[in-house]
Amino acid sequence: MYKNKVSQAVLLGIAMAATASPSFAATVPDGVTLATTQELVRGNGTEVESLDPQKVSGVPESNVIRDLLEGLVNQDGDGNLIGGVAKSWESKDNKTWIFHLREDAKWSNGDPVLASDFVYTWRRLADPKTGSPYASYLEMTTMKNAGDIILGKQAPDSLGVIAVDNHTLKVELEKPLPYFDAMTVHTSMKPVNQKVVEKYGDKWTSPATYVGNGAFQLDKWVVNERIVLKPNTHYWDNEKTVLTQVSFLPIENQVAAMNRFLAGEIDMTYEMPNEHFKRLVKQHAESVKVTPYLCSYYYEFNTAKAPFNDERVRQALSYAIDRDVIAKFIVGKGETPAYNFTPLATNGLDVEMPDYAKLSQKERVAKAQALLEAAGYGKDKPLQFDLLYNTSENHKKIAVAIASMWKKALGVTATLENQEWKSYLDSKRQGNFDVSRAGWCGDYNEASTFLGIMRDGHSQNYPKYANKQFDQQLDNALLAASAPERAQAYKVSEALLAKDMPIMPIYHYVNARLVNPKLGGYPVNNPEDNIFSKDLYIIAD
């Protein structure tokens, strides 16, 4: 577990007053000779859904947007909070937050970045007309009136954010939140240029019209081929940027990505093919990077559809999964079997493993068989459904293994259905699935970033889970006067998820990828895997 300024404040439950550390940028150690060519090529898993920070919800999109746009706060290589557009910030009560913006922060067209840009952006995020898949994230910050705005009960201009002057931003929360500053790191909170968005509408994200305030700017975007970024010469810390070009390749086949890496065509892969991991460790140890990652891999039920509105069916399918086999042999890169949603390394988490986790796999299967039979399924009435996953060989291997476990243990037939990333996201948002593969990575290092998406009405609650007691526990956590009280609320929340089983936790991730040994500045201790290209550089041979 990696502690940082945010985690300590959360654990202590105290108000924060922060003066930002100097921005972590490409700091080249003495004696290191830089390569003549400073061009980075990254595998990015899939074609991005969009480059509009208020219109996306996935990791591939955030990887690119993190370079194009800068929020109030950034992270260094260890996950510590450092200044972004904000040079300092403070709060005396964790409800009213004041951010002091840099006077030299500029957009890529040369316009100054102002406090009003954040007011416009966050109102846009909350506005139902935007249709942001991350609108509920703003409500999770407890920002004043965010929930009512999202529901259309109040106008966006009632949101609790005010531009005191051009370089001072005031935020009013409804409840004290000691980690609010950490939440501003997230992609959805990054600013957009009002003039550009209003002039071009949805087309503002094309290379010809994209205006950002990050260390890089959009140069080329060839759909299903590559996205190319160049340094933003107007960026306030541009003189420390070493890379002259960053390319993101949407390679879904991780074997193909691995081969291109080994051929020297890629400097960093999105992930790595599970079945090649041991060989790569043995033959290319210098290139294999395995780091902590606050992410959970799970399957989710569409609880709005029969028979998945029956918790017995959900429990049976979950119990029949042999998580040890999946974690150790199907993925096998250091992942751990998961019986709760939130990764155990999350700051302030204290969970008790559910009863089924303490059983042998044989005992779990016996319970699963009894539950499915009680729900009315068996040899005379076999359960059949579709299992949705986004196109990826790694996801396919897991789906094949789990479908086989269900068939062998329960006589259940799961028909595998893969869809490319955009279609997969749309199917989940529309509720067009039975059971779906899912993965969730923490937006900040605190349990609410996981548990919060299971709240009734949350925009990422694709299982349509609704339990008033669960929601109350999340409220209790927000109002907790001490870290032990907050931890207890999360413990009860996890127990309710284990009982109701709207999702099937399968394993907790590690981040394993291939990285060019000549790439300097790669963050090995950031559990959220927030990589900023402005911090990287390529070392000479």
Side-chain angles (χ1 to χ4, degrees), residues 97 115-116 119 123 159-165 168-172:
W97 290 78
S116 57
V119 174
R123 287 176 178 175
L159 188 66
V161 57
I162 301 168
V164 177
D165 57 40
T168 308
L169 187 73
K170 179 180 180 180
V171 183
E172 296 282 356

Side-chain angles (χ1 to χ4, degrees), residues 255-276:
V255 173
M258 173 191 70
N259 289 334
R260 292 185 68 174
F261 176 88
L262 296 176
E265 299 174 11
I266 295 177
D267 298 296
M268 185 193 309
T269 63
Y270 182 72
E271 53 186 9
M272 56 203 312
N274 297 328
E275 69 275 19
H276 290 276

